[in-house]
Amino acid sequence: MSSEKPPARRTAAPRTGGRVRSQDAHDAVLAAAAELLEEVGYQGITMEGVARRADVAKSTVYRWWKSRPTLVMDAYRRTIEQRVPVPDEGGVAADLTAFVTALYGVAEHPLRVRALRGLMAEAQLDPAFEEPFRQWVESRRAVVRELLTRGLDRGELPAGADLELAADQVFGTFWYRLLVGHAPLDPAEAAHHAARVLDGLRGGPEA
C-alpha cells in the first residue's frame, strides 16, 4: 500500500450567529472526529480532543453526542458517504462496479485501512461501541441494496433475488481481505467481483 500523510488540519471558517453558526459547529465537530480517527485511531480520541480540533466548547460536543462511540460513527458515516457516494451509472452492473471500485480503493490509503481495522476490532470488544458500529455497517449495506433494487425495478435482476446475500458477498470479500490480508483489495478486480455477485442473483453459470 502507498504511503499516506495524515489529513491536513482544517482552518475553522469564521462563524456568524444563529442557525448558521450552530450548523458550522456541528460540521466542524464531525470533521474533527473523522480526522482524528484516521490520525490516532479510535482509542486515541477523546471528546475534549475533538472539541479542541473543532475549535468549539466541550459542552457543544456533548450537546449533540452523549458518547464517543456515537460521535465517531456519525462522523465516519458522513465521511464515507462523501468518499463513496451512491453511484447512478444507468445500469446495475455499472452501478455495482463503480461502488466496489470505490470500496476497494481504501487499500490505497493506509490510514483509512488502519482506522477500519480498528473500528472492527473495537466492535468486537466494546459493547457500547457495537450498536453504533452496526448501524454504520447497515447504512453501507443499504447502498448496495439500493443499487440492486434499482436493477430489480429495471428488470435487470429476477424477482425474488436475495439482495441481503448479495450485500453479504460484496462486504464479505471486502472485510475478509481487509482484515486477513490473504489477498489484495484491488480496484482492478471490482468489475469481475461485481459480475460474480450479479451472476449469483441471476442464477448464471458462475453462481
Side-chain angles (χ1 to χ4, degrees), residues 50-110:
V50 171
R52 190 161 51 248
R53 172 66 64 91
D55 192 25
V56 301
K58 185 171 67 173
S59 60
T60 298
V61 178
Y62 279 106
R63 183 189 315 157
W64 291 306
W65 297 277
K66 303 305 181 185
S67 70
R68 181 175 57 157
T70 56
L71 167 58
V72 170
M73 294 319 304
D74 277 357
Y76 219 50
R77 181 199 303 260
R78 191 182 75 157
T79 294
I80 298 302
E81 286 174 351
Q82 292 170 344
R83 289 176 180 169
V84 189
V86 181
D88 190 0
E89 304 291 330
V92 69
D95 285 346
L96 190 59
T97 296
F99 181 82
V100 175
T101 299
L103 188 66
Y104 288 5
V106 73
E108 300 169 1
H109 304 278

Side-chain angles (χ1 to χ4, degrees), residues 94-147:
D95 285 346
L96 190 59
T97 296
F99 181 82
V100 175
T101 299
L103 188 66
Y104 288 5
V106 73
E108 300 169 1
H109 304 278
L111 293 177
R112 299 177 191 177
V113 169
R114 184 181 67 180
L116 287 168
R117 287 172 174 165
L119 292 176
M120 177 61 82
E122 199 67 33
Q124 312 313 305
L125 299 173
D126 182 359
F129 189 80
E130 181 180 0
E131 185 56 28
F133 179 79
R134 191 184 304 278
Q135 290 175 3
W136 173 70
V137 168
E138 176 56 28
S139 75
R140 304 316 297 160
R141 290 174 60 85
V143 174
V144 173
R145 287 198 301 271
E146 179 180 341
L147 304 182

